[in-house]
Amino acid sequence: MAVKNQPPQNQKRIGRMKQLFVISFLLVCFQTFGQKPYVELILSPEKVEVNETFTVTVKSNIQGDINIDLPEHFVNGNNVMNRMEHEIDQVTGEVTTFMYYSRSGSMKKTGKFSFGPAYVRRGNKVFRSNMTQIHVSEVGSKKEDFAEHNILRKPACGIVVPSKTEVYVGEPLCLEAKVISKFSPTHYESYESYKLKPIAETHELNHNQQVTVRLEGIGRHQRFVFEHDKKLLFPQVAGKLTIESFELMLQSGFDSYPVTSSPIAIRVNPLPPGAPKSFNGAVGDFSIEAKTIKWCGKEGDIIPYEVVLKGTGNIHDVEITKPKLPKGFSYYGDPEVKEKINFTEKGASGEINCLFYIQAHEIGVFESPDFDFSYFDLKSKKYISIQTHSVEWKVLSDPNKQIDGENKKAPLVVESYDSPKNNTANVASTAWMKWIGYSTSAVLAFLLIFGFAKRKSS
């Protein structure tokens, strides 16, 4: 009814629009079903390091089940993504729809490895892709410009930022995951943290999952940047420490982009030889104090001997050993240990309070034991030995203890006792005396009762 009431010119225009729509729809369907099958296998990048994450992508204009021939040493990642794009041929004007299937992974061995072919199955037909190769080298062998190759070319990328690239065994090292992108991210999902090989002691530094995105100048460009997953670790083995890739899905609204970082290598040097005897693995900057005052007491008394160790480094792994005592003293029970330690970007910082109990056994004037402590200083890269100052301990005699000693030397007083025979006679005589006493009492009681009754009858 609405079309009939319109002017003739409008009716003709609507009819032409319908015809154009039908023709366009038929052309799109013809291009979709009539286009030549196309399947391509793409590796990005084609040169990687051991355990470095890369992407395996199948590009095809055929929608169906996908299968890829992967090499033996390929390790599957956590990111899988499917997307669809439309490409227009600028010459012919044809529109082609391509489906992309991408998955992340890494290689655990060096060398050249072949990938593919990839197969796309649609119904009873199977379409095959090309084969491609990837070159895998040792960690640290690539000399690429990271800013140019990764940051400026990719929509987003990730890196692990270490506080140092070379440390000693036991030296604190701080790591942080950093994400750089061209677009403004809103959040991230499916995060897989970086791993360490060999495994090292780690401590979380930022427990807050919220991130703050900022703009940062990288070269001549501005990029969106945020950091998270900050950890403090203490390498325990000399050699190469490999920081493997982290993975996440970077979100910008409803759109997502897979981000994987490149692995990095940290050189861990062994501690130099010539460590003092009092060295027990402390690395950093330390000070020590013995809080024992000048003491005067009696023999057998208990002396408190307190040692306080302060510093920054790997203090949480340091154990305060018992100092060597002078002759005439011994430890009384186990020490009391109290720790106040915080983990920061500089390492473990705080103090250890150790209270020993020492018992005096000899009389005289003595000096308290000196506490020796050695650590490896990271600034001078030398071993430094520090020592506490001794004080005077005066032990006096205990009068009570002398009296006890005299009592112990006095002759024993032995009370005389009768032989078993005499004891038997004494026991028998005692029994007769008791019988006579009981009988006499009974006779007297009878006589009194008898006299009382006779008197009553008279």
Side-chain angles (χ1 to χ4, degrees):
M1 295 295 293
V3 174
K4 291 182 179 180
N5 294 332
Q6 292 182 357
Q9 295 180 354
N10 292 342
Q11 292 181 3
K12 292 180 180 180
R13 187 177 300 173
I14 293 173
R16 291 175 182 176
M17 291 178 63
K18 288 182 178 180
Q19 291 176 357
L20 290 174
F21 176 77
V22 172
I23 294 172
S24 300
F25 177 76
L26 293 175
L27 288 174
V28 171
C29 293
F30 175 77
Q31 291 175 355
T32 302
F33 294 100
Q35 61 190 5
K36 185 179 179 180
Y38 178 87
V39 181
E40 182 184 4
L41 182 62
I42 305 170
L43 299 180
S44 178
E46 295 180 350
K47 293 182 179 181
V48 296
E49 298 176 347
V50 175
N51 298 321
E52 179 180 0
T53 303
F54 59 94
T55 305
V56 182
T57 303
V58 178
K59 178 182 178 181
S60 175
N61 60 357
I62 305 167
Q63 189 171 5
D65 298 331
I66 298 176
N67 189 22
I68 309 172
D69 288 344
L70 301 171
E72 178 184 358
H73 301 288
F74 178 78
V75 180
N76 285 317
N78 298 310
N79 291 332
V80 177
M81 184 176 63
N82 292 282
R83 70 182 190 275
M84 182 182 296
E85 292 183 0
H86 303 283
E87 296 183 5
I88 301 176
D89 191 336
Q90 300 297 332
V91 178
T92 62
E94 294 182 356
V95 178
T96 305
T97 302
F98 287 100
M99 277 69 68
Y100 291 85
Y101 169 80
S102 301
R103 65 189 302 177
S104 63
S106 61
M107 299 297 295
K108 59 181 180 180
K109 190 177 181 180
T110 59
K112 290 184 178 180
F113 301 91
S114 296
F115 281 74
Y119 302 92
V120 179
R121 183 184 183 91
R122 185 176 68 183
N124 296 327
K125 294 184 179 181
V126 177
F127 302 92
R128 176 176 173 175
S129 76
N130 61 306
M131 294 183 65
T132 184
Q133 279 192 337
I134 192 169
H135 179 73
V136 185
S137 59
E138 289 287 347
V139 177
S141 61
K142 294 195 305 181
K143 303 298 181 182
E144 297 177 311
D145 185 358
F146 180 84
E148 179 182 358
H149 181 74
N150 290 296
I151 300 177
L152 301 182
R153 293 185 180 183
K154 293 184 177 181
C157 66
I159 56 175
V160 178
V161 182
S163 59
K164 302 173 185 176
T165 58
E166 186 175 352
V167 295
Y168 285 94
V169 173
E171 180 179 356
L173 174 67
C174 186
L175 299 176
E176 190 174 34
K178 186 174 184 178
V179 178
I180 304 170
S181 68
K182 293 182 179 180
F183 56 89
S184 178
T186 55
H187 61 285
Y188 64 88
E189 297 177 354
S190 305
Y191 177 72
E192 288 289 332
S193 181
Y194 48 84
K195 297 179 178 59
L196 311 176
K197 287 188 177 181
I199 298 174
E201 177 188 354
T202 59
H203 299 269
E204 297 285 345
L205 291 183
N206 57 343
H207 301 281
N208 188 6
Q209 297 298 327
Q210 295 182 353
V211 296
T212 302
V213 181
R214 67 182 187 279
L215 275 173
E216 183 177 304
I218 300 176
R220 296 179 291 105
H221 303 270
Q222 293 286 325
R223 292 292 183 266
F224 294 95
V225 178
F226 69 87
E227 294 90 4
H228 71 121
D229 194 12
K230 184 180 291 186
K231 295 179 181 178
L232 179 70
L233 62 136
F234 298 86
Q236 305 296 325
V237 181
K240 182 176 68 174
L241 175 64
T242 303
I243 315 299
E244 297 184 348
S245 305
F246 68 84
E247 301 179 9
L248 57 85
M249 295 297 293
L250 193 61
Q251 304 289 132
S252 180
F254 295 101
D255 298 328
S256 61
Y257 184 83
V259 174
T260 56
S261 66
S262 299
I264 62 173
I266 305 296
R267 183 179 177 182
V268 182
N269 297 321
L271 294 174
K277 293 182 178 180
S278 57
F279 177 74
N280 60 356
V283 178
D285 185 18
F286 298 90
S287 64
I288 196 166
E289 178 185 4
K291 294 185 177 181
T292 302
I293 61 176
K294 188 175 181 180
W295 181 85
C296 180
K298 296 179 295 183
E299 186 181 2
D301 286 351
I302 306 299
I303 309 171
Y305 184 85
E306 185 178 9
V307 177
V308 179
L309 176 66
K310 298 180 181 180
T312 301
N314 64 340
I315 189 173
H316 65 293
D317 286 334
V318 178
E319 182 181 0
I320 298 180
T321 58
K322 294 181 178 180
K324 186 178 180 180
L325 298 179
K327 185 179 180 182
F329 295 86
S330 64
Y331 285 102
Y332 187 82
D334 296 328
E336 296 180 4
V337 181
K338 297 180 181 179
E339 297 182 354
K340 295 180 181 179
I341 298 175
N342 296 319
F343 293 96
T344 64
E345 295 181 6
K346 296 182 179 180
S349 179
E351 66 177 47
I352 300 176
N353 188 298
C354 192
L355 179 60
F356 299 96
Y357 294 100
I358 301 172
Q359 188 173 22
H361 300 289
E362 294 188 6
I363 302 171
V365 179
F366 306 89
E367 287 188 351
S368 64
D370 293 328
F371 191 90
D372 298 325
F373 182 81
S374 299
Y375 65 94
F376 183 73
D377 183 53
L378 295 172
K379 294 181 180 179
S380 62
K381 303 197 183 319
K382 295 180 180 179
Y383 292 102
I384 296 179
S385 298
I386 53 180
Q387 190 178 53
T388 60
H389 299 288
S390 59
V391 295
E392 183 182 272
W393 286 353
K394 189 174 183 180
V395 183
L396 304 176
S397 61
D398 188 357
N400 297 328
K401 188 173 182 180
Q402 290 182 357
I403 294 174
D404 293 342
E406 292 177 359
N407 292 337
K408 290 180 181 178
K409 295 179 181 179
L412 295 176
V413 178
V414 181
E415 296 183 356
S416 59
Y417 65 94
D418 297 329
S419 61
K421 184 177 180 181
N422 294 332
N423 288 340
T424 304
N426 292 334
V427 171
S429 61
T430 303
W432 280 105
M433 292 295 294
K434 290 182 179 180
W435 186 82
I436 293 172
Y438 295 151
S439 301
T440 305
S441 300
V443 171
L444 291 175
F446 176 77
L447 292 175
L448 288 174
I449 293 172
F450 179 77
F452 178 76
K454 189 175 181 179
R455 185 177 178 182
K456 186 177 181 180
S457 61
S458 301

